[in-house]
Amino acid sequence: MALPLVYHPEYVTPLPPGHRFPMPKFGLVYEMLLAEGIVSTSTVHVPDSADRELLTLVHTEEYVDSILEGTIKPAALRRIGLPWSEGLARRTRRAVGGTLLTARLALEHGLACNTAGGTHHAHPSFGSGFCLFNDLAVAAAALLAEEAVRRILVVDLDVHQGDGTAAAFQADDRVFTFSMHCGSNFPFRKTPGDLDVALPEGLSDDEYLRELESILPDLVNPAVPEMAPDLVLYDAGVDVFAGDRLGRLNLTLEGITRRDRFVLETCLAADVPVAAVIGGGYDQDVSALADRHCILHRVAASLRPGRSRLRGLAQERPVP
Ligand SMILES: [Zn+2]
């Protein structure tokens, strides 16, 4: 079966010319995956837009309304770093809906990918670092609320710490937040998650992979049932790349490929479904950047997940 892949044209909305956020990358990722046959226009999964009720599972009503209605204060907007527009509000709602759909597809098929997502700097009551609403947190909260899952593991390998996701679940032990990032990079004031690994600047492939290999298998180990997640949300940010404008690590394209393969294979070997989002990546050359993001989808498309653990769980549940 083809890799379940999620995209919506609203993922792209115009920004002022020269803005440093590489908005066109989302459309280019989809076009590249179409050209490579990893997705087709008839198989792509089209997400709903996240509504107010869904967003307020994580975010405060005041903050959600300020984005939906465009009444957000200039200082709060400066912290986000994007100019408000109706298109921007539409795009962030659609991307949140996209990650939720990706998570549902992962539960059904074992593995699924979004072509956006990873807005992990969005806190419950404010946005930050190009992130308005936290797609990872909202998707996790929605699936927990409807009891589709009991425990979720967030594997955040974007080069920046997942402070917003950590903040959303600090008092919730159903979500384990693991972030491995460059310690000296944004956000400079970290919000502690369940497991934070701050890497030194300039780390390269082998050292990075060694660190990841020493951590991840224990987090999905089915032999530890009180830890084992029913779903992994994977933020595959490519700002770990050596040439990234906002990253400070030194990974090669081959290193990113090895990383994504290791994460997906480790989770699938433990029979844990994975929903992956593309996360951060910054480059003047948007085509090269989009190509870098497609590593995730290429690796995912090459893997064949087995039976999802969750279907086993559903069968174990007593009939009400
Ligand atoms: Zn980042």
Side-chain angles (χ1 to χ4, degrees), residues 120-121 158-160 239 280-282:
H120 59 169
H121 300 309
D158 188 284
V159 81
H160 305 101
D239 40 16
Y282 305 92

Side-chain angles (χ1 to χ4, degrees), residues 167-191:
F169 299 113
Q170 260 181 336
D172 190 340
D173 55 16
R174 298 172 300 170
V175 180
F176 189 98
T177 54
F178 162 45
S179 176
M180 191 165 93
H181 46 267
C182 179
S184 62
N185 211 328
F186 179 91
F188 300 105
R189 196 188 308 148
K190 314 281 192 270
T191 303

